[in-house]
Amino acid sequence: MLESCPLTEELHKCKRKRICSEFPILNNCEHDCYLSLWRYLSHVPERFYCKSGCEDIHKFLENIKENDPITLVKILKDYDRLLFLAFKSLDEINSLKFHDMESPSNEYDLMQFCDNYIHPAYLKLTEGVYANLILPICAYHRMKRNKKLEGFDVYNRVEELKSTQYEYLSDAYNNTVRNGIAHGKVIYKQRDITYEDKRGNSITLSSRDIINLFDNMLDICNGLSLGFCLFCFTSLKFLEKHGIGIPLPIMIEELRAETDAPGWKIKGCLESETLDNRSQLIIFTRNWFFDRLKLNYHVFRSAILAERFALGYKRYFFRLDSKYSLLGWAGFDGSELNRLRTQNDSKLQDYANALENGLIFFNPKIKLPRFVFRISTLLSVMKIIISIKWREFKETRLPLFIDPRDTRIHRNKFHSVINGGVVIKQNLRIPIDDLIRTYCSSIVRKTARTARKRAKMTNISKYLRIGYLRIGVYSEDFRIRKLRSSGLIPELLCTIEFKRLRRIHTIDIIGGKPETVKRFRIVWNKNAKIIEHVG
């Protein structure tokens, strides 16, 4: 009852099925505790992870496990705190809000964007995340060369990495940029930035280049993180046999994914100590409940799962934050939770003994009758079921999945003008260019509808008739700032143009092959992978 939430059980099954489809190696797992990997399929920026980095580090760790397990155990035990720091810092960087923002067009705003977001994040990413995620590879090769690991800083790790087959993982690391940011020697010029280290070495990059450098570094780190997670989830017996714990941030993410439910969310966790020096895990939650019974259920379930995923704490303390109630709290005895979990005959009511003082402090501001809560539960169940069935319908019945990722709308006199980027995925074995020709009206219609929906209520252009529309159609998803300045990359399949205003004049993409379908002008990208089907 508490291991699996009836409300989200079907949704989690669908997510696990999709995760196993994307990462088939998980089909061999004897457990289903890998729901946290869903973020690598749906969240930004995690879903832009480096696929080759993920595959290579997973194969590397599996290969050492089979051929040199003693060395692998030594590396994982000696550097467990550094790996903990890597995953913790990566989660913090991934949670920042600027990853899917467009790059500012104004020069001053662009410099501020780099100074406030890109530079601090790049420094933290290189020193706290990247340097520690490549450590297993670098330390292993260094040990095999009988070299000492003293003074093995990020620069030396990258140099060691360059001597291996994983040299490509160092492409996003620039030592001069890192030192320039760390030591404050950054000079801003007109759309260019110069970085200088303490030895006088300098490098000048455009603002776009430094943003791309950060994005590439983050994608590599997310790829390495995913590969490490896959290794941990598929090698539990090996890790338990040698007394190696999975880094806590990985387990916290699994806890968040498992407990996430309508009206309940774990925001994060913090290690601490009580006044009597007992180890404590503080769990920060957010809820939208008026119903005490629902809150009690999710608090107890989260406490049981917290002890399961984050072992060893003497106390688990919940901070219950809600705009519908006063600030609440609850404390659980970790030793009692552990005893009950290890006993196979524990009953549901026995867990009440683990609750400190028998109290969950929760005082909703408004009291509502029980039938309102039942209706709310019914609506939550219907919402989840409808979303599951709609996703299944789109994946099995619709030949083309259309995702308007980037839309912009503005007014041109008495008409609206729409520009944007759309990502499409085919569900049938039909050439993608034929699908685009057949469903170009649907692509345009959905893009226009999304652009109007995202516009503010006070934006007059959302109410006007479309005078001009131009969208780029992509076969792969990217950050919005890359979609807006992608150039003629192979993933850009074509552009679709709808023109009602004669006064608007545009230029086709260079080397493109134009054709007219219905009322739309399609210009195929000559660099696209489907160009052999065109014309």
Side-chain angles (χ1 to χ4, degrees):
M1 181 66 178
L2 293 175
E3 286 286 330
S4 178
C5 177
L7 196 62
T8 59
E9 186 174 4
E10 288 301 317
L11 178 61
H12 287 178
K13 282 183 180 179
C14 290
K15 287 184 176 181
R16 289 189 180 97
K17 182 179 178 181
R18 177 95 179 273
I19 291 170
C20 289
S21 175
E22 189 72 20
F23 311 115
I25 192 172
L26 293 172
N27 288 314
N28 301 324
C29 282
E30 298 179 355
H31 61 89
D32 58 0
C33 298
Y34 44 78
L35 196 60
S36 58
L37 299 184
W38 176 254
R39 67 187 190 273
Y40 291 99
L41 304 182
S42 61
H43 294 186
V44 174
E46 288 93 333
R47 71 179 187 226
F48 301 128
Y49 69 90
C50 174
K51 292 181 174 57
S52 56
C54 169
E55 294 172 359
D56 284 345
I57 193 171
H58 180 260
K59 290 179 181 177
F60 171 80
L61 293 172
E62 286 287 346
N63 183 55
I64 301 180
K65 185 183 76 172
E66 296 295 328
N67 301 316
D68 196 358
I70 297 177
T71 303
L72 178 60
V73 170
K74 176 176 173 57
I75 291 174
L76 295 180
K77 285 188 175 181
D78 289 349
Y79 298 112
D80 60 336
R81 291 304 299 177
L82 292 180
L83 291 173
F84 169 88
L85 175 64
F87 288 102
K88 181 176 181 292
S89 300
L90 183 59
D91 288 341
E92 293 171 353
I93 294 173
N94 281 334
S95 66
L96 299 176
K97 303 300 182 184
F98 68 90
H99 297 295
D100 210 27
M101 291 171 52
E102 62 174 307
S103 300
S105 56
N106 179 276
E107 184 177 344
Y108 174 76
D109 292 337
L110 185 60
M111 296 299 108
Q112 287 291 102
F113 180 75
C114 291
D115 194 48
N116 295 335
Y117 297 105
I118 301 299
H119 289 161
Y122 184 79
L123 183 61
K124 185 175 184 178
L125 195 61
T126 54
E127 295 187 343
V129 183
Y130 175 74
N132 295 326
L133 289 179
I134 64 173
L135 186 54
I137 298 176
C138 302
Y140 178 78
H141 283 89
R142 197 172 182 89
M143 292 168 67
K144 289 303 172 184
R145 294 194 297 111
N146 296 320
K147 297 293 184 180
K148 296 182 179 180
L149 294 175
E150 287 78 10
F152 200 39
D153 58 11
V154 57
Y155 175 78
N156 290 310
R157 294 174 199 177
V158 173
E159 291 301 309
E160 187 72 36
L161 189 67
K162 289 180 179 179
S163 64
T164 69
Q165 61 182 338
Y166 311 107
E167 181 183 5
Y168 72 93
L169 294 174
S170 66
D171 292 344
Y173 175 80
N174 189 297
N175 193 61
T176 304
V177 171
R178 178 259 170 202
N179 289 337
I181 297 173
H183 304 300
K185 193 64 174 179
V186 179
I187 303 171
Y188 292 97
K189 300 180 180 179
Q190 187 172 2
R191 293 197 171 273
D192 289 336
I193 307 175
T194 299
Y195 303 88
E196 186 175 331
D197 62 17
K198 292 190 292 186
R199 296 183 179 181
N201 300 317
S202 65
I203 183 174
T204 300
L205 299 174
S206 68
S207 302
R208 178 184 294 184
D209 288 340
I210 190 62
I211 293 173
N212 290 339
L213 190 70
F214 167 77
D215 289 341
N216 293 338
M217 173 63 81
L218 183 57
D219 293 345
I220 288 174
C221 289
N222 277 320
L224 296 174
S225 171
L226 174 57
F228 195 91
C229 289
L230 291 173
F231 171 77
C232 290
F233 292 148
T234 56
S235 306
L236 282 182
K237 289 185 177 180
F238 173 83
L239 297 177
E240 291 174 358
K241 177 182 177 181
H242 295 90
I244 301 172
I246 297 178
L248 180 62
I250 296 178
M251 302 312 294
I252 294 299
E253 285 300 314
E254 187 64 27
L255 172 65
R256 294 180 63 189
E258 290 281 354
T259 58
D260 191 29
W264 178 262
K265 184 179 183 65
I266 292 180
K267 297 190 294 183
C269 300
L270 179 66
E271 292 181 292
S272 68
E273 287 187 355
T274 61
L275 294 177
D276 54 355
N277 297 323
R278 291 188 299 160
S279 60
Q280 175 179 242
L281 185 68
I282 303 177
I283 302 171
F284 298 90
T285 69
R286 180 76 174 173
N287 72 83
W288 293 265
F289 294 135
F290 291 104
D291 186 0
R292 169 173 282 277
L293 293 179
K294 286 183 181 178
L295 180 109
N296 289 351
Y297 170 81
H298 285 288
V299 169
F300 270 96
R301 180 170 184 266
S302 298
I304 293 171
L305 292 178
E307 191 281 326
R308 176 185 174 187
F309 292 126
L311 293 170
Y313 294 95
K314 298 299 182 182
R315 186 173 189 249
Y316 295 85
F317 181 79
F318 284 81
R319 176 189 169 103
L320 308 174
D321 187 16
S322 173
K323 68 176 183 178
Y324 301 124
S325 72
L326 300 177
L327 183 64
W329 68 83
F332 288 84
D333 186 336
S335 300
E336 183 67 12
L337 286 173
N338 181 265
R339 185 186 69 81
L340 292 169
R341 179 175 60 84
T342 53
Q343 286 184 352
N344 295 326
D345 59 345
S346 297
K347 298 180 180 178
L348 187 61
Q349 55 268 29
D350 294 337
Y351 284 94
N353 298 326
L355 179 63
E356 293 182 351
N357 303 317
L359 172 68
I360 297 177
F361 183 81
F362 175 71
N363 187 14
K365 299 176 182 178
I366 303 175
K367 307 294 183 180
L368 296 174
R370 292 296 312 163
F371 79 88
V372 175
F373 301 143
R374 293 192 181 97
I375 294 174
S376 173
T377 301
L378 179 61
L379 292 176
S380 297
V381 172
M382 290 177 59
K383 185 177 180 180
I384 291 175
I385 293 176
I386 290 173
S387 67
I388 293 173
K389 296 303 180 182
W390 175 240
R391 177 179 289 275
E392 290 177 352
F393 176 78
K394 289 194 296 183
E395 292 178 351
T396 57
R397 299 296 181 89
L398 297 183
L400 193 66
F401 175 75
I402 305 169
D403 180 18
R405 280 279 290 134
D406 174 36
T407 58
R408 290 154 285 161
I409 184 171
H410 66 272
R411 183 175 63 86
N412 188 311
K413 292 188 177 180
F414 301 107
H415 291 81
S416 63
V417 175
I418 296 176
N419 292 280
V422 175
V423 178
I424 62 172
K425 294 180 181 179
Q426 60 191 112
N427 297 325
L428 299 176
R429 295 182 179 274
I430 300 175
I432 190 68
D433 52 312
D434 290 339
L435 286 174
I436 292 174
R437 293 187 183 95
T438 304
Y439 294 97
C440 59
S441 298
S442 299
I443 295 173
V444 169
R445 188 164 52 249
K446 188 167 184 178
T447 303
R449 186 167 61 246
T450 303
R452 286 172 168 152
K453 183 178 179 180
R454 291 175 180 173
K456 295 180 180 179
M457 293 292 292
T458 55
N459 190 342
I460 299 176
S461 58
K462 70 181 296 181
Y463 307 106
L464 301 177
R465 191 184 187 195
I466 296 177
Y468 178 79
L469 178 144
R470 184 175 184 176
I471 53 179
V473 180
Y474 295 82
S475 61
E476 186 177 334
D477 196 7
F478 297 99
R479 293 172 175 84
I480 286 179
R481 52 176 166 260
K482 183 170 182 178
L483 289 175
R484 294 195 178 183
S485 58
S486 64
L488 301 181
I489 58 177
E491 292 78 11
L492 173 62
L493 303 178
C494 66
T495 60
I496 299 178
E497 184 180 78
F498 171 75
K499 186 175 180 180
R500 185 176 280 126
L501 298 178
R502 294 183 179 180
R503 60 177 174 270
I504 294 180
H505 302 283
T506 58
I507 301 175
D508 290 339
I509 55 178
I510 298 176
K513 295 185 177 181
E515 66 174 277
T516 301
V517 177
K518 301 177 182 177
R519 299 170 296 165
F520 309 106
R521 176 180 172 85
I522 301 177
V523 181
W524 301 98
N525 179 18
K526 68 175 182 179
N527 298 326
K529 299 174 183 177
I530 59 150
I531 198 65
E532 61 268 15
H533 299 292
V534 177

